[in-house]
């Protein structure tokens, strides 16, 4: 039981929150701009390296430097949207999907050009875990990740339901042309979508890098489970994507727990497959996602 | 002949059709009218197989077709139009019509790859029918235009054209009149009458323009709140108090001059 | 640079270009004509590659088979097995709408990859299969063998192209495009939507399997590195969109153009001054990413945009 | 005149993070050659090809090196998958000799390569066996084992299992794992069951290996780790700190006894690039490049067949010993018509008939911020 | 304050050749004008042009002194213009209530609750559908939602593309009554109708478009009396 909590549940939640933060952006972009943003993982990587670069100059807790990473991702996302995605907007979205795939290459090679392709770590040494009630051991970082994600979820919910821009998002996601006819500034909504998606990507990337190490493939490797999370939560449902992230994280980790007998339920080699099986199952039986997102 | 037998349709908590039973007589032109949200389109969807009823049966010429899929019903001779046009947006008007015809030879993968000669005659015939239909609908000048770029009314005409291309026994028309120029509409009415008389085609049409209904239909079904309110001749329903209350209103803006 | 060298480089470019052309034609059947968003090309390609490799290699204790069959039989086997895999996937997923199908197929490809890597009794896992024969291998040796193989690949391209264009120009293709535009009304005019989509998916997957088989025979060695989604799935999509989705010639042209771009950029980035040399590969990826943007924005519907098949009828 | 040397590496793609020091190593060899008299009386130029870590990319890049750049010999590539595909489809048919620094797959041994394909690392089978011996010698009878699911991990892992159990050891828990995941805690939890004395990790420090060690320490599951060359990377020390690795040891291909060659290479490398000489595969990459250059010089022309022959001559005994960086000495000897024998930082590079090397596996422990070789097993 | 809408010699299209050419019409404050014509004549295109959804190649569109050609679509709603497109006029995944709410984002009405109440009393059918996604409504119900949304912003100029298409006679009546009502408050209304004969009864004047050009115009009565117009556009001399 304690083993379960310490080695499966806590880490799963931490990974879940990384997926969750990344998936929010994917889901929002999917919902509002209607395309699968393949460069999202690499946007995360970019943000991570932004933080890393600052961390080399300013020796404080890297979490405090996340705003620099956010600034970098936000600016990049807005520029890319303006010069590469926007001109393709009136074409079928597949063109933007392909374009974003090229942008993923661009982001990655920029990271490699500027920072090199070697692994980099934020800090050396193993931090001892926090021991709670003498039994639970949880890493400080994981706790930070889960708590930040919870706070972000609350803020995001507020933004989406209370502010006018947030509420306009649903209308734009539904039908951009009619939204425009209704007087909504779709350009502004799109801008905010990028800002939020990119900012959260930077946070997710930094947590992922702190958890292991930073390298140019960091985000790309996380992309598929994040997509799965976004779909699980229902496209265009940021809060659903959050939940989806946690579900995917939990499913991946917990699938190899020895639920029955002494052996792992599913060989850990097939861990990645769990997320996908879950996603495919959901697509077939409940295509609108767990939280009733937009049907494509 | 189509018969709905105690059909119920539920959407979540809402019962859109509630034990409705009625018949659409073979060889007739039947009107289906009723207030907005009465369940008319839903009834068409049930007949065409796009919606599974939660209870009841649909019969076609006495055979139970409730379990058949939409395409199977289409093959059995049923054609329908959609209230909100469902054109093939990226196909030209001509292709929209041609794609709607049944082409058993040309849709067989084996024929297509290995025996192209097999379907040429069929294609030629489809082509000719399509041209005639285009002419009838006065869409000649946009024949090569992508259907997605058509005006609202033109799309409705394409809807009608595609149903005609099926060479069906029964055609269900869902408000093809809405948004169609009245002059053209009366020409279409003539065509419908002709098809009905000469080929014995059965029609059922949903329409809110009573003149149009009275010009075409010898029998009218009135739906309200998911059930059949009444039926009869145009005159009968026109004078029915319940219909007037549920449907007609005050009659202030007479369509007739 | 000497001419024979350039010639053989061109040969190799055309061999891989040809294999990509086959993949692109297959994707064009699925997406360009049928609107089925298959983002798991690598999976079906992998199934084909492994099938053909296992059928044609000599017996081995490390993995299944070694049946030592002739290459054409291997390729037919690849088509059948990849087609079957496609059929199974289609049976479950074909009702999914475009982007959902994409996600599902990415997932399936990933699962197939995991199976290939993990089930070593079948595929020898990550250690790979070696000594895969080439077709008509006894005709020549050394580099001349590439020329024979080039002919073989393009013969297959031709066959696939003929089949694909017949599909495209037929009523079958027209119905497919109709379904792509609007399923509900296609069903209302009597099209068995599910059947059409399954047919499309299976045909496409079978062709992808052939392409996989061909590349196994070209590389003569097959390990999971050959089924990388970047070079198989995504690049093929880029090729189709650049070439013109819905247009079979566009598919071939797109495959050749993008593959040439992909390959040739390295020759140029290698010419960068030495201080850049170690970074030239990243500059190359950057360039590829940016060139892709140029292609997308310049040729908005691809180099050869989709055209409806010409209407050829006797006028009354 | 310029003479080109083809260098094939998996620069982008899954092992991109290994590459920078390896590019430096290859560049260092070329630079030393040019500083010390040049190649064939002219300049040596390294031409890179990027396999992108895929078979398609490898074949394409190799075709360009062979046909467009017209290189007489190719150093590379690193991953077995790309090395073999490039060799089979492009390099062997063109008759170009190829020497891989790191491709460890057993399949390399059995290529029908007309004597063209070489490598200067022992096959994985070899390291696996030695590792088993090393562990037994240390008196460790029960281990938990995890290896990465690629040709490297599977190759070493499976031979290790066989050799170790044969020698009387017991593997109490075993888990093959996938690369690129963020958490290996569930794998670790199952590995920690049983009473293993140490965890054997066959994986790369930059990827799963480093994460596994770190997460094992964080979770307090293992304190003693046994790693292979993939794990023996400064990155690991950076990642978990030297203290945590005090009791651990690592195996890695190396050269015999007190190898001055290695030290001189590392000094030269760090003098040139500041750091990184101790990174995985630096030695092998340097040696392979240097050997390729020597072979060209020895052949006296860019004739491909001659170079293949020359490669064996310069690498193998008998002959006057030449070490890393000793280009001037080497060309002087060659001019005199003397036979030479290169013994590099990674070993003495004595090829067998398959182009394989046997070699030495060293045992390493952490010492300060780096690794120290404490023993050699043959 | 309401203002006159004047369209002068406007040509516009969708990127290709112009669909409407040199079209002119003027609607004074507090008037109802109706545009008639065959299918594909360019009626919707004209409305879309006023609403900045097409490419204008010539001419000017003025609301009072303000030139609308060149404005962004979303900038028009705050100016007091609101529109109901012919198709795709509801947010299908959003509930009826949310659809109405969207109408207030760009130009919040003075008293939102009251406006909403007024709209709902106009379309009482919507009351029990408030929580239902608009995509699940019947054709006529959608039309009501679309009109409702447009009215939520207290507009000065309303552009309606076939507002009564698909509505029952009772609703047609209700809508026309409504139009007469709001016209009294000085709101300007420009609409396209195929229920032409009914529309002309409430319109101050009508304009007939054919092939993208002005064909005829006049007061409702004049047009209704015109034999040619009746034969060509109103379905002949009635049944
Ligand atoms: N997919 C659906 N989900 C939920 N409710 C639905 C759905 N489709 C229709 N309804 C509801 O069912 C009822 C009947 O709708 P239907 O479309 O059949 O009406 P109708 O008689 O055709 O009306 P109209 O004349 O306005 O087209 C309406 O109240 C509608 O809101
Ligand atoms: N988005 C578009 N792109 C290209 N052409 C278009 C587009 N929309 C409409 N058209 C063309 O413009 C012409 C006029 O269309 P419009 O929608 O203005 O007609 P309308 O008068 O409103 O007809 P209806 O009464 O049928 O709605 C039509 O021939 C149509 O094909
Ligand atoms: C550089 C390493 C990843 C190479 C590995 N030894 C292999 O054979 O693939
Ligand atoms: Mg209806
Ligand atoms: Mg219109």
């Amino acid at each position: 039981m304690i083993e379960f909590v310490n080695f499966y549940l806590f880490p799963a939640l931490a990974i879940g929150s990384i997926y969750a933060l990344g998936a929010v952006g994917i889901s929002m972009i999917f919902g509002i701009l209607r395309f699968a943003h393949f460069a999202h993982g690499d946007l995360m990587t970019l943000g991570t390296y932004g933080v890393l670069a600052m961390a080399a100059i300013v020796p404080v807790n890297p979490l405090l430097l996340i705003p620099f990473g956010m600034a970098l991702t936000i600016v990049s996302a807005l520029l890319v949207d303006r010069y590469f995605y926007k001109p393709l907007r009136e074409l079928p979205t597949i063109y933007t999907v392909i374009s974003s795939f090229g942008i993923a290459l661009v982001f990655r090679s920029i990271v490699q050009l500027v920072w090199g392709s070697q692994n980099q770590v934020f800090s050396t040494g193993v931090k001892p875990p926090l021991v709670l009630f003498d039994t639970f051991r949880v890493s400080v970082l994981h706790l930070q990740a889960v708590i930040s994600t919870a706070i972000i979820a609350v803020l995001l919910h507020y933004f989406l339901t209370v502010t006018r821009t947030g509420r306009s998002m649903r209308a734009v996601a539904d039908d951009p042309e009619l939204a425009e006819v209704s007087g909504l500034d779709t350009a502004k909504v799109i801008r905010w979508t990028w800002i939020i998606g990119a900012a959260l990507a930077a946070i997710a990337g930094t947590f992922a890098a702190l958890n292991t190490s930073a390298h140019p493939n960091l985000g790309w490797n996380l992309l598929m489970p994040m997509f799965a999370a976004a779909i699980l939560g229902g496209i265009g449902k940021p809060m659903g994507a959050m939940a989806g992230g946690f579900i995917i994280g939990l499913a991946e980790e917990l699938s190899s727990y020895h639920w029955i007998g002494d052996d792992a339920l599913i060989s850990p080699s097939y861990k990645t497959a769990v997320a996908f099986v879950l996603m495919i199952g959901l697509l077939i039986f409940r295509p609108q996602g767990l939280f009733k997102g937009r049907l494509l | 002949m189509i018969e709905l037998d105690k059909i119920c349709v539920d959407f979540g908590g809402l019962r859109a059709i509630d034990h409705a039973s009625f018949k659409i007589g073979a060889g007739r032109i039947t009107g289906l009218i009723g207030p907005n949200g009465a369940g008319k389109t839903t009834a068409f969807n049930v007949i065409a197989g796009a919606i599974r009823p939660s209870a009841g049966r649909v019969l076609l010429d006495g055979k139970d077709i409730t379990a058949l899929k939409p395409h199977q019903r289409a093959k059995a001779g049923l054609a329908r139009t959609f209230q909100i046009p469902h054109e093939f947006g990226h196909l030209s008007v001509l292709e929209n019509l041609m794609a709607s015809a049944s082409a058993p030879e040309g849709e067989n993968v084996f024929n297509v790859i290995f025996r192209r000669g097999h379907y040429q005659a069929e294609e030629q015939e489809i082509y000719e029918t399509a041209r005639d239909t285009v002419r009838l609908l006065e869409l000649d000048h946009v024949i090569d235009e992508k259907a997605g770029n058509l005006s609202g009314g033109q799309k409705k005409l394409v809807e009608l054209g595609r149903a005609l291309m099926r060479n069906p026994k029964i055609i269900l028309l869902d408000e093809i009149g809405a948004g169609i120029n009245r002059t053209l509409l009366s020409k279409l009415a003539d065509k419908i009458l002709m098809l009905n008389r000469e080929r014995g085609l059965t029609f059922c049409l949903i329409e809110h323009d009573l003149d149009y209904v009275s010009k075409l239909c010898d029998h009218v079904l009135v739906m309200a709140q998911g059930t059949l309110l009444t039926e009869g001749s145009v005159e009968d329903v026109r004078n029915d108090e319940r219909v007037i209350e549920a449907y007609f209103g005050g009659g202030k803006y007479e369509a007739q001059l | 640079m000497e001419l024979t060298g350039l010639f053989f480089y061109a040969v190799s470019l055309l061999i891989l270009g040809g294999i990509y052309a086959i993949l692109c034609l297959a994707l064009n059947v699925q997406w360009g004509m049928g609107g089925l968003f298959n983002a798991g090309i690598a999976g079906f390609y992998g199934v084909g590659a492994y099938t053909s490799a296992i059928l044609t290699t000599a017996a081995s204790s490390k993995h299944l088979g070694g049946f030592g069959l002739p290459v054409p039989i291997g390729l037919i086997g690849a088509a059948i097995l990849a087609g079957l895999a496609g059929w199974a996937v289609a049976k479950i997923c074909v009702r999914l709408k475009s982007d959902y199908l994409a996600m599902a197929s990415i997932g399936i490809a990933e699962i197939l990859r995991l199976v290939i890597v993990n089930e070593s009794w079948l595929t020898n896992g990550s250690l790979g299969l070696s000594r895969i024969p080439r077709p008509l291998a006894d005709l020549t040796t050394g580099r001349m063998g590439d020329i024979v193989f080039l002919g073989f690949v393009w013969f297959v391209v031709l066959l696939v192209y003929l089949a694909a264009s017949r599909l495209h120009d037929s009523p079958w293709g027209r119905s497919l495009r109709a379904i792509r535009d609007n399923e509900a009304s296609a069903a209302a005019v009597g099209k068995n939507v599910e059947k059409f989509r399954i047919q499309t998916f299976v045909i496409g997957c079978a062709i992808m399997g052939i392409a996989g088989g061909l590349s196994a025979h070209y590389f003569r060695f097959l390990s999971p590195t050959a089924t990388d989604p970047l070079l198989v799935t995504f690049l093929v999509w880029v090729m189709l969109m650049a070439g013109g989705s819905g247009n079979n010639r566009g598919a071939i042209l797109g495959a050749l153009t993008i593959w040439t771009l992909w390959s040739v950029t390295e020759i140029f980035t290698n010419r960068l001054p030495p201080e850049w040399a170690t970074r030239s590969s990243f500059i190359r990826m950057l360039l590829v990413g940016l060139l892709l943007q140029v292609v997308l924005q310049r040729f908005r519907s691809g180099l050869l945009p989709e055209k409806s098949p010409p209407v050829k009828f006797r006028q009354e | 005149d310029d003479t080109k040397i083809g260098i094939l590496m998996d620069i982008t793609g899954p092992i991109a993070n290994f590459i920078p020091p390896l590019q430096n190593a290859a560049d260092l060899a070329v630079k030393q050659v040019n500083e010390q008299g040049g190649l064939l009386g002219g300049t040596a130029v390294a031409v890179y090809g990027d396999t992108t870590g895929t078979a398609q990319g490898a074949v394409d890049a190799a075709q360009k090196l062979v046909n467009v750049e017209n290189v007489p010999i190719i150093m590379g590539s690193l991953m077995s998958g790309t090395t073999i595909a490039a060799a089979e489809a492009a390099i062997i048919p063109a008759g170009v000799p190829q020497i891989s620094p790191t491709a460890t797959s057993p399949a390399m041994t059995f290529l029908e390569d007309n004597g063209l394909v070489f490598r200067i690392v022992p096959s994985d089978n070899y390291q696996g066996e030695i590792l088993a011996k090393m562990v037994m010698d240390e008196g460790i009878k029960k281990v938990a084992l995890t290896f990465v699911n690629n040709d490297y991990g599977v190759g070493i892992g499976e031979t290790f299992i066989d050799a170790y159990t044969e020698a009387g050891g017991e593997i109490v828990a075993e888990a093959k794992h996938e690369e690129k995941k963020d958490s290996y805690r569930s794998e670790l939890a199952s590995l920690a069951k049983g009473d293993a004395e140490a965890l054997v990790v066959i994986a790369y420090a930059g990827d799963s290996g480093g994460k596994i060690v770190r997460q094992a320490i964080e979770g307090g599951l293992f304190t003693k780790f046994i790693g292979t060359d993939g794990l023996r990377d400064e990155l690991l020390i950076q990642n978990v700190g030297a203290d945590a690795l005090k009791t651990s040891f690592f195996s890695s291909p190396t050269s015999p006894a007190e190898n001055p060659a290695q030290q001189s290479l590392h000094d030269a490398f760090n003098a040139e690039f500041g750091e990184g000489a101790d990174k995985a595969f630096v030695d092998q990459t340097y040696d392979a490049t240097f050997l390729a250059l020597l072979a060209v010089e020895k052949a006296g022309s860019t004739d491909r067949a001659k170079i293949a022959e020359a490669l064996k001559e310069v690498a193998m005994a008998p002959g006057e010993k030449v070490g890393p960086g000793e280009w001037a000495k080497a060309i002087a000897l060659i001019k005199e018509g003397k036979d030479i024998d290169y013994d590099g930082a990674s070993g003495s590079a004595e090829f067998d008939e398959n182009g394989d090397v046997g070699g030495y596996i060293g045992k390493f422990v952490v010492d300060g911020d780096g690794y120290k070789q404490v023993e050699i097993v043959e | 304050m309401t203002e006159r809408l004047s369209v002068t010699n406007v040509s516009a299209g969708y990127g290709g050749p112009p669909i409407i050419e040199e079209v002119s019409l003027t609607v004074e404050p507090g008037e109802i004008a109706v545009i008639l014509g065959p299918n594909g004549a360019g009626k919707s295109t004209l409305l879309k042009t006023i609403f900045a959804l097409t490419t204008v190649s010539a001419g000017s569109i003025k609301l009072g002194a303000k030139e609308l050609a060149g404005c962004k679509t979303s900038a028009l709603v705050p100016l007091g213009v609101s529109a109901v497109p012919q198709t795709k006029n509801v947010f299908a995944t959003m509930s009826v209530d949310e659809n109405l709410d969207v109408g207030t984002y760009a130009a919040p009405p003075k008293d939102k609750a009251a406006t909403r109440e007024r709209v709902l009393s106009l379309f009482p059918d919507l009351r029990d559908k408030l929580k239902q996604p608009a995509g699940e409504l019947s054709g006529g119900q959608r039309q009501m939602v679309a009109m409702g949304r447009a009215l939520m912003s207290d507009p000065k100029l309303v552009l309606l593309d076939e507002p009564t298409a698909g509505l029952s006679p009772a609703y047609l009546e209700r809508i026309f009554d409504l139009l007469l009502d709001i016209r009294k408050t000085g709101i300007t209304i420009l609409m396209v109708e195929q229920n032409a004969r009914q529309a002309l009864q409430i319109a101050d004047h009508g304009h007939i478009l054919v092939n993208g050009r002005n064909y005829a115009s006049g007061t409702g009565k004049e047009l209704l009396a015109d034999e040619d117009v009746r034969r060509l556009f109103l379905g002949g001399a009635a049944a």
Side-chain angles (χ1 to χ4, degrees), chain D residues 270-286:
Chain D
N270 285 337
E272 182 77 25
F273 305 106
E275 49 128 36
D278 201 50
K279 292 276 188 229
F281 312 125
V282 165
D283 297 350
Q284 287 86 346
T285 307
Y286 175 88

Side-chain angles (χ1 to χ4, degrees), chain A residues 56-127:
Chain A
I57 307 171
V58 194
V60 295
N61 185 335
L63 292 182
L64 298 176
L65 301 172
I66 287 182
F68 292 100
M70 284 160 62
L72 185 62
T73 49
I74 291 172
V75 171
S76 320
L78 290 175
L79 285 177
V80 162
D81 184 58
R82 168 71 187 74
Y83 290 103
F84 299 119
Y85 299 156
K86 195 165 166 224
L88 304 174
R89 209 94 89 204
E90 70 259 38
L91 295 177
T93 52
I94 176 72
Y95 289 92
T96 324
V97 174
I98 299 295
S99 164
S100 78
F101 166 67
I103 295 299
L105 287 182
V106 170
F107 281 158
R108 209 173 318 154
S109 40
I110 287 177
V111 166
Q112 285 169 326
L113 277 172
V114 178
W115 289 287
S117 50
Q118 278 172 293
N119 283 37
Q120 304 193 27
V121 285
F122 275 99
S123 61
T124 303
V126 178
K127 300 213 178 50

Side-chain angles (χ1 to χ4, degrees), chain C residues 65-86:
Chain C
F67 296 99
L69 295 170
V71 173
I73 307 246
L75 291 177
I76 292 171
I80 292 176
L81 229 73
L84 272 177

Side-chain angles (χ1 to χ4, degrees), chain B residues 193-209:
Chain B
L193 284 170
M194 189 200 82
L195 285 170
N196 173 251
R197 287 195 197 121
E198 292 177 6
R199 289 207 230 149
L201 273 185
T202 306
F203 285 89
C204 177
L205 42 96
I206 300 177
E207 205 57 68
H208 288 301
D209 182 335

Side-chain angles (χ1 to χ4, degrees), chain C residues 268-281 283, chain D residues 2 23-24 27 30-31 34 43-48 273:
Chain C
F268 292 103
T269 48
N270 270 341
R271 298 286 178 280
L272 290 169
E275 57 272 27
W276 290 98
T278 47
R279 302 181 159 192
S280 63
S281 301
I283 297 176
Chain D
D2 288 356
Q23 284 185 320
N24 286 342
D27 288 343
V30 172
K31 180 158 179 275
N34 289 332
T43 332
V45 180
V47 187
Y48 281 93
F273 305 106

Side-chain angles (χ1 to χ4, degrees), chain B residues 2 46-50 60 65 68-80 82 99-102 162-163 165-172, chain C residues 183-193:
Chain B
I2 289 181
V46 168
I47 298 173
L60 174 65
I65 57 166
L68 294 190
K69 300 219 171 99
H71 67 91
Q72 292 167 321
R73 300 191 196 192
K75 290 204 174 115
L78 201 70
R80 59 97 50 109
F82 290 88
S100 301
S102 86
R162 295 189 318 144
M165 285 301 293
R166 295 293 307 160
N167 197 8
K169 290 191 296 195
I170 301 161
I171 303 190
L172 308 174
Chain C
E183 260 174 62
S185 64
V189 292
K191 312 292 173 209
N192 186 345
V193 174

Side-chain angles (χ1 to χ4, degrees), chain D residues 56-137:
Chain D
Q56 291 83 348
V59 172
D60 178 51
Q63 292 281 12
K64 276 177 283 193
L65 290 180
V66 167
N67 292 317
V68 180
E69 308 290 356
N70 224 350
V71 299
I73 184 165
I74 287 178
M75 197 298 291
S77 68
L78 303 167
M79 305 202 311
S80 303
T82 57
T83 306
I84 301 177
E88 286 275 26
I91 303 177
I92 299 172
V96 175
Q98 177 187 10
I99 174 168
S100 166
T102 59
T104 45
S105 166
M108 288 280 288
T109 309
F110 307 106
L111 288 180
E112 279 174 78
D113 57 6
N114 310 324
L116 289 170
V117 181
F118 300 86
R119 61 174 162 189
I120 58 165
V121 275
S123 160
D124 285 327
N125 291 345
Y126 187 71
Q127 196 180 153
E129 276 171 35
I130 304 287
L131 183 65
K133 187 158 175 285
M134 221 181 257
V135 177
M136 286 307 286
D137 289 351

Side-chain angles (χ1 to χ4, degrees), chain B:
Chain B
M1 185 193 65
I2 289 181
E3 184 176 350
L4 294 197
D5 180 21
K6 302 205 193 67
I7 291 287
C8 296
V9 174
D10 293 291
F11 295 115
L14 178 101
R15 174 147 283 195
I17 296 194
D18 190 9
H19 293 93
S21 303
F22 55 78
K23 290 182 186 146
I24 298 170
R28 301 177 87 174
I29 304 179
T30 308
L32 177 55
I33 64 171
N36 295 118
K40 305 181 295 296
T41 301
T42 309
F44 268 18
N45 281 331
V46 168
I47 298 173
I51 290 179
R52 273 278 155 91
S54 44
R57 297 182 307 155
V58 186
L59 306 173
L60 174 65
D61 295 332
K63 277 199 296 282
D64 188 339
I65 57 166
T66 323
L68 294 190
K69 300 219 171 99
H71 67 91
Q72 292 167 321
R73 300 191 196 192
K75 290 204 174 115
L78 201 70
R80 59 97 50 109
T81 70
F82 290 88
Q83 181 173 8
I84 297 160
H86 277 40
E87 75 283 355
F88 303 131
H90 292 89
L91 303 193
S92 70
V93 169
L94 181 67
E95 286 177 307
N96 260 272
L97 298 186
M98 291 183 69
S100 301
S102 86
E105 294 291 336
E107 286 178 355
N108 176 318
V109 176
F110 185 79
N111 280 351
V112 165
I113 298 182
F114 300 105
R115 308 189 294 195
R116 281 199 296 176
H118 258 72
Y119 63 83
Q120 295 308 336
E122 177 190 273
E123 271 294 273
Q124 178 74 28
E125 201 182 311
I126 292 174
Y127 171 71
E128 278 161 22
T129 331
R131 288 219 64 122
D132 294 345
T133 311
V134 165
R135 213 161 289 140
L136 168 81
L137 299 171
E138 300 184 359
L139 290 170
D140 309 64
H141 57 295
V142 287
I143 185 164
D144 290 323
E145 185 69 50
K146 285 202 171 148
N149 287 347
L150 296 181
S151 77
Q154 289 168 331
K155 285 181 184 172
K156 289 244 157 166
L157 294 172
V158 171
E159 274 294 318
L160 175 61
R162 295 189 318 144
L164 295 176
M165 285 301 293
R166 295 293 307 160
N167 197 8
K169 290 191 296 195
I170 301 161
I171 303 190
L172 308 174
L173 301 173
D174 196 349
E175 300 198 25
I176 50 151
I180 302 277
N181 175 276
R182 298 297 129 156
T183 305
L184 179 55
L185 193 58
S186 63
K187 277 192 220 157
L188 293 178
D190 296 340
K191 170 75 178 177
I192 291 171
L193 284 170
M194 189 200 82
L195 285 170
N196 173 251
R197 287 195 197 121
E198 292 177 6
R199 289 207 230 149
L201 273 185
T202 306
F203 285 89
C204 177
L205 42 96
I206 300 177
E207 205 57 68
H208 288 301
D209 182 335
L210 246 278
D211 291 329
Y212 196 57
V213 174
S214 60
K215 180 169 173 187
L216 285 174
C217 307
D218 44 20
H219 190 77
V220 179
L221 305 164
V222 186
M223 280 187 79
Q225 294 181 339
T227 49
L228 190 70
L229 187 64
T230 178
E231 60 184 308
S233 71
V234 179
E235 275 316 301
D236 293 345
V237 301
R238 245 183 209 221
N239 298 321
D240 188 314
E241 276 302 321
R242 291 172 302 166
V243 181
I244 292 173
E245 190 199 334
Y247 186 54
F248 289 120
K252 201 164 5 163
Y253 307 103
E254 269 305 317
Q256 270 165 316
L257 300 174

